[in-house]
Amino acid sequence: MTPTEIADRLEGVRARIRAACLAAGRAPDAVTLVAVSKLQPEDAIRAAYAAGQRAFGENYVQELSAKHSALADLPDLAWHMIGHLQTNKARFVAPVASCVHSIDSVRLVEALDRHATARRAALDALVQVHLGGGEHRGGCAPEALGDVLAALSRATSLRARGLMTVPPPSDDPAEARGVFDTLRALRDAHGGAEALPELSMGMTHDLEVAIACGATLVRVGTAIFGARS
Ligand SMILES: *Cc1c(COP(=O)(O)O)cnc(C)c1O
């Protein structure tokens, strides 16, 4: 993928987001694009950055740390940790991420907060909720959400910002709608948009549905960078 191709594809995704916001009667700046750069080379990230992209999502702790160092020369670049995070890796994430989407346990909240506080770092926190599907893709059960949010409210350096989910794989984007509606209802049951303004949901194949359901952060990889190696 050349830098020009990445810039063109990025513009295509921005157009999809604008159109989906328009269709949903939402302001076009109500949705932030997180460019998912996992397994993509640094040059691809530099190309997207040159085209104005600032938020990037990574799934793997080691890769996140390496890219954070390699791209430290790019001001305002914000790293979002979106992959499953083990408690014993929290120390590596706290100093480099600005937002963690995949918080799913009280222990993880406590570990991240300990390391963020020690590093005087501030972290935006989203709680990932597992909603349906046989395959478990990370996230806490809806019944556990209250406990995780309570732990966040006790944290010093973590700020609860919202909820995140990954629907079970499906060829039909409309099937994701039920999952996205459920996440939004859970948010409304736990303090509403005032307490939890962000809903991180929607990827390459279903971002329009997610935006119709109230997404404020969409996590898009393939549509920007092409297939992952
Ligand atoms: C890989 C990944 C994405 C991006 O998926 P695409 O289909 O490439 O847009 C989004 N969210 C999570 C949690 C991911 O792991």
Side-chain angles (χ1 to χ4, degrees):
M1 201 74 60
T2 67
T4 310
E5 283 171 320
I6 288 174
D8 287 348
R9 294 173 71 116
L10 189 55
E11 195 42 52
V13 172
R14 289 175 181 144
R16 282 176 64 187
I17 292 172
R18 279 195 302 271
C21 285
L22 192 68
R26 302 179 59 197
D29 61 359
V31 177
T32 299
L33 172 60
V34 178
V36 176
S37 47
K38 65 175 173 222
L39 307 179
Q40 300 291 351
E42 285 161 35
D43 284 354
I45 299 175
R46 287 188 184 277
Y49 182 94
Q53 181 63 30
R54 290 295 177 271
F56 291 87
E58 290 285 339
N59 286 60
Y60 311 106
V61 174
Q62 259 191 326
E63 188 178 352
L64 170 64
S65 298
K67 285 175 171 171
H68 176 267
S69 302
L71 299 166
D73 58 304
L74 301 179
D76 303 330
L77 191 159
W79 292 107
H80 291 236
M81 175 61 188
I82 65 170
H84 178 65
L85 180 53
Q86 287 170 286
T87 304
N88 61 6
K89 301 274 177 66
R91 78 185 70 194
F92 304 112
V93 171
V96 300
S98 64
C99 182
V100 179
H101 293 228
S102 43
I103 290 175
D104 61 1
S105 73
V106 171
R107 282 181 60 223
L108 181 56
V109 169
E110 291 171 350
L112 275 171
D113 190 47
R114 201 161 55 242
H115 293 293
T117 302
R119 304 289 291 252
R120 297 178 182 278
L123 267 183
D124 284 343
L126 306 180
V127 181
Q128 181 177 354
V129 186
H130 178 70
L131 297 171
E135 186 194 352
H136 197 94
R137 307 189 74 191
C140 67
E143 302 77 42
L145 176 57
D147 286 345
V148 181
L149 288 170
L152 278 172
S153 71
R154 294 190 296 268
T156 305
S157 305
L158 266 53
R159 186 169 62 141
R161 294 291 294 159
L163 306 181
M164 181 272 223
T165 199
V166 182
S170 161
D171 292 335
D172 179 8
E175 278 179 30
R177 182 178 292 272
V179 171
F180 296 151
D181 281 339
T182 302
L183 192 72
R184 186 187 179 136
L186 271 175
R187 185 272 295 279
D188 293 342
H190 289 271
E194 219 158 282
L196 300 169
E198 309 285 358
L199 290 175
S200 170
M201 52 193 201
M203 321 198 306
T204 288
H205 65 290
D206 58 12
L207 71 89
E208 282 85 0
V209 180
I211 289 172
C213 296
T216 62
L217 293 159
V218 291
R219 311 176 307 267
V220 180
T222 311
I224 299 170
F225 297 113
R228 289 177 282 273
S229 46

